[in-house]
Amino acid sequence: MYTIMLKAKLHMARVTHAVLNYEGSCAIDGELLDMSGIRENEQIQIYNVENGQRFTTYAIRAEEGSRVISINGAAAHLAGPGDRVIICSYAHYSEAELETHQPSLVYLQEGNAVSHTSNAIPVQFA
């Protein structure tokens, strides 16, 4: 049996571009892709913190160091420049893999600069 688990997350990324007349996808700074472990053409989920929109697309590489997060194609109707988004990828893990699995979490601050990284989501308190 396989379980779908969080593989990687870019937390609180700021959308820099929204390009409606583009083939589709989400362009992400290549350094952020590499740091998070999200691969080019990998399916991603995007959660818009500003308006609650949630959508699926795939990642493409933007210029390294550009800090670009560009929502392209039809999804440009769901997120625009300045919106804060959470970008996640998920993967299927076997029972054996679950023993050691840890997601790659990259937390961003203004300008899409990396604040810190982690492999564990903090416990939520009431």
Side-chain angles (χ1 to χ4, degrees):
M1 177 173 72
Y2 287 87
T3 302
I4 300 171
M5 301 289 289
L6 178 66
K7 175 189 158 202
K9 175 171 82 164
L10 293 169
H11 190 75
M12 293 301 180
R14 188 73 70 171
V15 175
T16 60
H17 300 79
V19 184
L20 183 60
N21 294 315
Y22 189 81
E23 191 173 316
S25 68
C26 176
I28 300 170
D29 177 317
E31 290 177 358
L32 296 176
L33 283 180
D34 294 343
M35 186 176 288
S36 68
I38 297 172
R39 297 174 179 259
E40 288 182 76
N41 303 308
E42 182 173 354
Q43 179 178 299
I44 54 176
Q45 301 287 319
I46 300 179
Y47 312 124
N48 189 327
V49 176
E50 309 302 331
N51 63 24
Q53 293 287 341
R54 299 166 71 95
F55 53 96
T56 304
T57 188
Y58 60 94
I60 62 172
R61 183 174 290 270
E63 180 182 359
E64 279 77 4
S66 65
R67 298 302 179 234
V68 163
I69 302 292
S70 183
I71 308 298
N72 300 325
H77 289 289
L78 305 175
D83 285 357
R84 291 174 301 150
V85 295
I86 300 167
I87 301 171
C88 295
S89 70
Y90 299 87
H92 296 258
Y93 295 92
S94 69
E95 290 296 318
E97 291 171 315
L98 290 175
E99 300 277 332
T100 58
H101 170 68
Q102 293 183 319
S104 174
L105 311 172
V106 179
Y107 294 86
L108 302 175
Q109 55 192 357
E110 284 305 314
N112 291 330
V114 175
S115 164
H116 62 284
T117 61
S118 181
N119 294 109
I121 294 174
V123 173
Q124 182 173 340
F125 294 98

